[in-house]
Amino acid sequence: MEAILVKDQKAAAFVMEDGTFEGVYRITEKVCGDVEQVTGVRPKIIKWQGELQPAQVYVATLGNSEMSEAIAEEEGIELSSLCGKRECFLFQVLKNGSLLIAGSDKRGTIYGLFHISELMGVSPFVHFADVVPAPQKEIIFSEKDSMQSKEPSVKYRGFFINDEWPAFGNWTFSHYGGFTAEMYDLIFETLLRLKGNYLWPAMWTSSFSLDGPGEENARLADCYGIVMSNSHHEPCLRHSEEWDLVRGEDSVYGNEWSYLTNREGLIRYWRDGLLRSGKYENIITIGMRGERDSLMLGEDASLEQNISLLKEIITEQRKLIRECVGENEPEMLALYKEVEAYYYGDETTPGLKDWDGLDGVTLMLCEDNYGNMRTLPTEEMRSHRGGFGMYYHFDYHGSPVSYEWVNSSYLPKIWDQMTMAYDFGVRDIWIVNVGDLKFQEYPLSFFMDLAYDYEKWGSSRIHAPQDYLAYWVKREFGGWFYEAQQNAVYRIMQQYTKMNHNCKPEAMRADTYHPVHFGEADKRQKENERLEEETEKLLSSVPEEMLPAFWELVYYPAMGSANASDMQLYAGKNSFFAKMGAVCANDYAEKIKACIEKDRLLTERFHQLLDGKWDGMALSEHIGFVNWNDEECRYPLMTFIEPANKPRIFAMSEGGDVCTAGGDWTKKLIVMRQFLDPAVSEASLLLFGGSKEKVPYHIECKSPWVLPGKMQGVTDREEVLTVQIKRDEITDWENDHRTYDFEVCYEGGRIPVKILLEKDLPGCPAEAFYETDGMLSVEAEHFICNEKAEAGAFYVLPEYGKTLSGVKAYPQTKTFFEMAEQIRQAPKLTYQIYVREAGEYEMICYTAPANPVCQGGSVYFGCAVNGNAPQKIEMIPDGYRSGEPSCAEWAKMVVDQIRVVRVQVTLQSGENEIGIYAGTPGFLLEKLTFVRKGKHLPESGLGLPERRRTNR
């Protein structure tokens, strides 16, 4: 059996009956538009005539359809499996060559209609990101396409348009005259194509229920089956901006946003909001905060006073809802900011947690505004009637640094954190702050698909982030791009999102990555260069039809991010070399200027796409934040130096700090420490010109086993001098015996260079992780043994975190031990390392940002060295407050995207085994670094790189 939708330039008609929901009809019109875009033929919509005809598409909603019952009876189809289901649809090829789409409810029917679009290769962002579907001559569905959809995993799934100025706000006023129904039609359609059903509308300088004009926004949302709600501080279907429009000394609502002094006015205000908008489908926000999202009673009020007042307010609001809207209306209380403290109370003041006044209310939780879970429901709390929601962020306007430009949310982290929320029982509402929505299409797609089908993308699928990116690339570009082009898009998306995850563009500084330590700035620049080259190369091969989509989804965010990163990397080098007096500092200043111009040009070109369709959407500031927001943000400082009048060369060891020009009185010894690693036989000495003219130099060697790459040369800017050593010819291994090994000589000075040496580490096997210069690192996935426990096991999370990957124990809701004597029962990872000297070492554990997962809890793991008794390692210090900008440790953690835990350990000379035991939820290890007591770990953004021993 097959159903022909389009063939030979003829299209099947869509058949609907009287009484069809208006929203279903509107969506049918949009799907007909999709068919036309794909095939060039637009189907007609006709009325059901009472009998089944061949080659038609029948669209019905159970409980509102005689047509579906008649078709089911004639075709022998069982519809009972849809009855009582939430948002499900049947997609059935009929015996007579027709197609039946039957929804269990209005949204189910709409999802079924858009399933046609999906099968044709139409992206959910066909309009919002201009993803043009590939043309097809015919659309035919076979019996294998027949299916019944599942109920969505999360009941309410959607996003919050927020922080919409200057980008989204300017765009919508320019194109739609404001936050109007015409604009929201595009937003609602995109949400439904993503199988969402829930929206928090834009709220700054706008009022959803007034701007349609009038109630047109709300009416349109209800028509489409979009469940509307308001943010955490907008109760009873009123919007933040509405209050300023109606308040006043002579207003019936009064002038003060205070329940204590204006109780009757606020009750009337809330009642009128409920009467106006309660006829539509909503989740009604309850509770109260102070005016403009501030404290309700001020700093001086006690916890008990706040809780008592909030109880009174909630009781009155729920009474109003019953009176004005009806019984059993969905209600939501956001446990955001100080309201969370009111919910839990303290040792002496009971909070709202056990208060029966919240029975049936969904409790909206929030991560720490930077995507890190906190205060998830305990097992005891999960029985709360009303369930739990999660407010997540891809965009944030607040301390320590706002992030509101292109996507900086990394799929592996989103997957890790949102699966944790789901596994902890947060399954009623998922809402994500997408800011302007533009440039968040990729992470939003994943967020929505994870919420819709957790069984497919959830915690049981460790490679879900990687699998999803491959799926997303094929969905958006597969109709036009060859496999090699799709692979390039995959690499570009993965690289730029990880780059922005490691440090958000707004937060990046000139010193985020050290200009010389570990060569990390050079590595970052090379990665950026590869990213930019691959993106530019791919752009040149993109079909014309897909150029706008490629620009919006890939090119602008990737190139803009790489350029913003380059700008700060150049600034770091400019500052570093200017302090040295090296002329190349001026070159880096010029590169900064070029990046600034490129940033402006990228924005201009983006705003010119499709005759300005998205003009305004790229206006968010994103460089050089010096405050929590964009006020006083600035481009990097550029320092220009005046070259010396006489010959001058500076030298420094690659990765070192000491720099000298080799003057008679001020010269310093340059020490090359690279050869302390027995595996290294070649390293670099960096030479920098400091004068107006080119300066000739020559090398004079004192140690015969040293082989400079060249014995003479000329430098005026930057030069890399390679240095090799012949280890088998070395007779003097004592570093203290030699004053220097060679000199760089020129007219203005002689620069002495000493090479530090160490012999091979006895007994250290190939591929082992070994100490060099008192330090070593090992990436978390490079354990030698992964011991499962009865309660669970560690798993490697590919591409997680700042460097290579992460390891985490599952089930992720499990606390594997509480007391130190229970540690050995937990899952264990064993790492093998080799050190030269026995003694005290600092073990630096780099973990993913972590907050106590449940209120009042902690985060910890176990550690054992060389089989000794394991220790419980607490990760959270006393006084720590997640999400609180005044908590310096939290602020540093979220900006750096890493938590650093330091543990003192005693190691023996040679081989050591380090055992890491799973403890509480929230522990996710990324890397271990060991530093011998007395040694200093150089500053860096990514830490000491891992190094394995190799056979030389």
Side-chain angles (χ1 to χ4, degrees):
M1 293 187 299
E2 61 181 22
I4 299 173
L5 181 58
V6 175
K7 188 175 181 180
D8 299 330
Q9 288 294 297
K10 295 180 180 178
F14 282 72
V15 182
M16 312 183 85
E17 58 194 319
D18 291 335
T20 295
F21 291 113
E22 180 188 352
V24 170
Y25 188 89
R26 283 174 173 262
I27 296 301
T28 304
E29 289 275 16
K30 293 180 184 294
V31 172
C32 289
D34 291 347
V35 175
E36 183 178 23
Q37 191 171 10
V38 171
T39 67
V41 182
R42 187 181 184 91
K44 295 180 179 179
I45 301 175
I46 63 175
K47 186 180 293 186
W48 163 250
Q49 297 299 320
E51 60 181 22
L52 183 62
Q53 298 291 332
Q56 310 280 22
V57 179
Y58 294 92
V59 181
T61 304
L62 266 61
N64 190 42
S65 170
E66 294 180 0
M67 178 177 72
S68 62
E69 296 173 4
I71 293 173
E73 183 177 348
E74 183 170 337
E75 289 278 322
I77 297 172
E78 181 58 62
L79 295 177
S80 61
S81 59
L82 276 180
C83 295
K85 294 290 181 67
R86 175 173 43 86
E87 300 178 355
C88 295
F89 63 87
L90 176 67
F91 191 90
Q92 183 68 51
V93 174
L94 303 179
K95 297 173 186 175
N96 76 338
S98 290
L99 177 67
L100 172 65
I101 296 172
S104 63
D105 51 29
K106 178 165 62 175
R107 284 189 288 271
T109 307
I110 288 172
Y111 297 157
L113 282 162
F114 277 139
H115 188 63
I116 292 178
S117 301
E118 291 176 38
L119 293 176
M120 292 190 301
V122 178
S123 164
F125 299 107
V126 59
H127 300 307
F128 196 81
D130 304 298
V131 181
V132 177
Q136 300 178 51
K137 290 184 178 180
E138 56 185 38
I139 305 294
I140 301 174
F141 302 116
S142 67
E143 191 172 4
K144 66 180 178 60
D145 292 314
S146 295
M147 51 87 73
Q148 180 175 316
S149 70
K150 62 182 287 296
E151 280 192 307
S153 303
V154 176
K155 189 173 183 181
Y156 298 105
R157 312 162 306 282
F159 53 82
F160 178 20
I161 297 173
N162 192 25
D163 310 323
E164 58 268 21
W165 291 96
F168 191 99
N170 275 296
W171 168 77
T172 192
F173 269 89
S174 173
H175 293 80
Y176 298 102
F179 295 87
T180 62
E182 185 182 2
M183 180 274 289
Y184 273 113
D185 190 86
L186 173 62
I187 302 301
F188 295 152
E189 176 188 335
T190 303
L191 176 61
L192 289 168
R193 287 182 184 270
L194 291 166
K195 294 188 177 69
N197 60 5
Y198 183 57
L199 185 75
W200 289 2
M203 54 166 286
W204 300 110
T205 74
S206 66
S207 296
F208 180 79
S209 297
L210 304 178
D211 295 340
E215 293 185 37
E216 282 305 301
N217 287 337
R219 196 198 72 79
L220 184 64
D222 196 62
C223 167
Y224 281 132
I226 304 293
V227 182
M228 296 303 300
S229 195
N230 299 89
S231 67
H232 59 279
H233 63 105
E234 300 176 293
C236 294
L237 306 181
R238 285 292 199 175
H239 311 288
S240 178
E241 297 297 317
E242 278 193 86
W243 178 244
D244 285 337
L245 300 177
V246 299
R247 71 187 301 175
E249 296 296 339
D250 299 326
S251 168
V252 294
Y253 303 129
N255 192 43
E256 294 183 344
W257 185 260
S258 168
Y259 194 79
L260 289 178
T261 60
N262 188 26
R263 179 180 180 277
E264 293 306 316
L266 288 179
I267 288 175
R268 177 175 289 189
Y269 178 68
W270 292 333
R271 177 184 288 111
D272 287 352
L274 293 166
L275 290 171
R276 175 193 65 194
S277 301
K279 55 182 173 288
Y280 308 120
E281 191 173 4
N282 302 283
I283 298 177
I284 303 172
T285 302
I286 61 173
M288 186 176 181
R289 291 199 78 218
E291 194 166 1
R292 295 290 175 182
D293 202 9
S294 61
L295 292 172
M296 186 168 57
L297 288 179
E299 298 283 355
D300 297 333
S302 68
L303 181 62
E304 184 177 7
Q305 288 173 317
N306 276 290
I307 292 172
S308 177
L309 179 59
L310 192 55
K311 282 184 175 181
E312 184 179 344
I313 291 169
I314 290 172
T315 300
E316 189 61 43
Q317 289 173 339
R318 299 196 73 186
K319 178 183 175 184
L320 286 171
I321 292 167
R322 290 192 298 272
E323 292 174 356
C324 301
V325 184
E327 298 284 345
N328 302 316
E329 288 297 311
E331 299 166 3
M332 179 267 289
L333 173 68
L335 306 185
Y336 191 55
K337 298 192 176 181
E338 77 282 349
V339 178
E340 181 180 278
Y342 306 158
Y343 179 75
Y344 287 102
D346 61 18
E347 298 83 0
T348 60
T349 308
L352 303 174
K353 186 165 75 74
D354 297 319
W355 179 48
D356 60 8
L358 291 179
D359 185 46
V361 175
T362 301
L363 303 175
M364 179 67 75
L365 311 176
C366 182
E367 29 76 286
D368 65 359
N369 300 317
Y370 269 73
N372 307 299
M373 287 298 145
R374 51 188 296 282
T375 62
L376 294 174
T378 63
E379 189 171 354
E380 175 191 6
M381 292 168 60
R382 288 170 213 162
S383 60
H384 168 74
R385 197 174 72 85
F388 293 87
M390 176 54 63
Y391 173 29
Y392 200 73
H393 290 80
F394 295 160
D395 163 286
Y396 180 59
H397 185 73
S399 292
V401 181
S402 301
Y403 53 99
E404 303 173 56
W405 185 43
V406 298
N407 172 37
S408 59
S409 300
Y410 190 40
L411 242 61
K413 178 170 181 172
I414 299 169
W415 174 84
D416 170 53
Q417 295 297 300
M418 290 309 301
T419 59
M420 190 188 306
Y422 188 91
D423 289 352
F424 268 84
V426 182
R427 304 178 181 184
D428 288 271
I429 303 174
W430 280 16
I431 185 85
V432 60
N433 184 337
V434 293
D436 305 309
L437 182 56
K438 202 73 195 148
F439 310 124
Q440 304 298 337
E441 295 95 338
Y442 166 48
L444 178 61
S445 292
F446 179 67
F447 183 91
M448 298 300 292
D449 279 340
L450 181 63
Y452 181 80
D453 194 351
Y454 189 83
E455 291 74 15
K456 182 175 182 179
W457 300 109
S459 55
S460 63
R461 189 171 182 173
I462 294 295
H463 291 83
Q466 294 75 34
D467 295 344
Y468 190 86
L469 177 52
Y471 157 78
W472 183 85
V473 170
K474 187 172 184 178
R475 186 185 77 185
E476 307 304 333
F477 301 100
W480 297 93
F481 283 20
Y482 299 115
E483 185 176 354
Q485 292 173 300
Q486 293 180 52
N487 292 340
V489 174
Y490 182 104
R491 290 189 296 271
I492 292 164
M493 297 298 293
Q494 199 281 332
Q495 185 175 342
Y496 106 75
T497 55
K498 181 161 187 171
M499 172 175 63
N500 286 351
H501 159 80
N502 283 0
C503 184
K504 296 182 183 296
E506 297 88 343
M508 191 170 175
R509 308 282 192 274
D511 60 355
T512 295
Y513 299 106
H514 198 278
V516 296
H517 291 165
F518 309 129
E520 66 177 12
D522 287 335
K523 292 174 186 174
R524 299 281 77 70
Q525 283 180 323
K526 288 177 182 176
E527 289 177 1
N528 291 349
E529 184 178 342
R530 287 194 296 269
L531 172 64
E532 291 169 306
E533 286 179 354
E534 184 161 36
T535 308
E536 288 287 5
K537 181 181 178 181
L538 184 56
L539 177 67
S540 67
S541 68
V542 172
E544 184 177 354
E545 295 89 341
M546 286 296 286
L547 276 171
F550 183 74
W551 254 86
E552 294 167 47
L553 295 174
V554 181
Y555 187 86
Y556 178 80
M559 293 294 285
S561 298
N563 183 65
S565 173
D566 281 337
M567 192 186 303
Q568 297 294 354
L569 292 169
Y570 292 142
K573 289 192 169 188
N574 170 249
S575 175
F576 185 87
F577 292 121
K579 291 175 184 176
M580 179 193 299
V583 178
C584 66
N586 296 346
D587 300 334
Y588 286 111
E590 293 297 336
K591 289 181 178 181
I592 297 169
K593 291 171 69 175
C595 286
I596 293 171
E597 181 58 31
K598 185 175 182 179
D599 180 69
R600 291 171 177 157
L601 182 61
L602 282 168
T603 301
E604 284 180 16
R605 291 177 65 189
F606 176 81
H607 285 155
Q608 292 166 359
L609 288 174
L610 297 171
D611 297 323
K613 178 179 178 179
W614 302 108
D615 187 21
M617 278 292 201
L619 286 176
S620 293
E621 295 283 2
H622 49 274
I623 293 170
F625 282 35
V626 295
N627 296 301
W628 65 267
N629 62 1
D630 63 4
E631 293 175 3
E632 302 178 19
C633 69
R634 62 198 69 166
Y635 289 118
L637 180 69
M638 290 171 276
T639 304
F640 290 85
I641 67 122
E642 186 63 27
N645 294 317
K646 57 184 180 180
R648 183 172 295 165
I649 294 177
F650 296 98
M652 64 184 296
S653 175
E654 186 177 38
D657 283 318
V658 176
C659 168
T660 185
D664 291 340
W665 296 93
T666 59
K667 73 174 62 176
K668 305 181 187 77
L669 179 66
I670 299 297
V671 177
M672 298 187 71
R673 311 184 73 88
Q674 299 98 311
F675 295 104
L676 289 170
D677 183 346
V680 173
S681 58
E682 182 177 294
S684 299
L685 182 74
L686 307 179
L687 304 180
F688 305 94
S691 46
K692 293 181 178 179
E693 305 296 333
K694 295 181 178 181
V695 181
Y697 67 88
H698 67 277
I699 307 297
E700 294 184 6
C701 267
K702 182 178 180 181
S703 299
W705 41 266
V706 176
L707 297 175
K710 60 182 179 179
M711 298 305 294
Q712 61 184 17
V714 177
T715 189
D716 67 338
R717 282 295 195 267
E718 292 181 80
E719 184 175 347
V720 177
L721 178 66
T722 59
V723 178
Q724 294 180 333
I725 63 171
K726 295 182 178 180
R727 288 184 180 270
D728 54 356
E729 295 183 12
I730 299 173
T731 56
D732 183 6
W733 287 91
E734 297 298 324
N735 293 320
D736 295 338
H737 289 181
R738 306 183 319 277
T739 54
Y740 65 91
D741 294 300
F742 68 94
E743 287 184 307
V744 180
C745 307
Y746 69 102
E747 182 183 341
R750 300 174 68 89
I751 302 171
V753 181
K754 182 176 181 177
I755 294 175
L756 295 190
L757 301 166
E758 279 187 328
K759 294 181 179 180
D760 212 349
L761 190 61
C764 182
E767 299 300 310
F769 299 97
Y770 59 94
E771 170 208 337
T772 296
D773 200 13
M775 292 173 276
L776 71 95
S777 281
V778 54
E779 291 286 351
E781 73 170 56
H782 290 151
F783 44 81
I784 62 166
C785 184
N786 182 353
E787 298 178 39
K788 295 183 179 180
E790 184 178 343
F794 276 106
Y795 290 87
V796 174
L797 306 186
E799 299 176 351
Y800 194 99
K802 297 190 72 168
T803 48
L804 180 64
S805 59
V807 291
K808 180 176 177 177
Y810 288 82
Q812 59 185 335
T813 56
K814 181 74 175 176
T815 296
F816 292 97
F817 69 86
E818 294 181 359
M819 309 297 292
E821 54 268 24
Q822 301 170 324
I823 295 179
R824 293 188 190 276
Q825 302 171 11
K828 177 189 177 184
L829 298 173
T830 301
Y831 296 89
Q832 191 176 66
I833 62 173
Y834 290 79
V835 300
R836 291 183 178 276
E837 296 182 15
E840 297 298 314
Y841 285 74
E842 183 175 60
M843 181 177 74
I844 306 172
C845 305
Y846 295 93
T847 78
N851 302 305
V853 174
C854 295
Q855 177 72 12
S858 60
V859 186
Y860 56 80
F861 63 98
C863 175
V865 178
N866 294 325
N868 292 318
Q871 304 296 311
K872 180 179 179 180
I873 309 299
E874 294 281 356
M875 295 172 55
I876 308 296
D878 292 339
Y880 177 82
R881 299 180 307 285
S882 61
E884 176 52 59
S886 64
C887 179
E889 183 176 70
W890 172 80
K892 179 172 175 55
M893 177 187 77
V894 297
V895 170
D896 293 346
Q897 283 292 349
I898 203 79
R899 178 175 280 283
V900 180
V901 181
R902 301 176 186 274
V903 182
Q904 303 306 311
V905 296
T906 301
L907 302 181
Q908 61 195 17
S909 177
E911 178 185 320
N912 292 265
E913 287 195 352
I914 310 298
I916 300 294
Y917 295 85
T920 58
F923 172 59
L924 194 162
L925 183 64
E926 296 187 17
K927 185 166 69 173
L928 294 172
T929 295
F930 297 83
V931 181
R932 190 193 308 154
K933 186 176 182 180
K935 289 289 184 177
H936 171 68
L937 181 65
E939 294 178 2
S940 65
L942 296 173
L944 177 72
E946 173 189 77
R947 183 183 289 276
R948 287 181 185 264
R949 187 185 190 280
T950 56
N951 291 323
R952 291 186 291 112

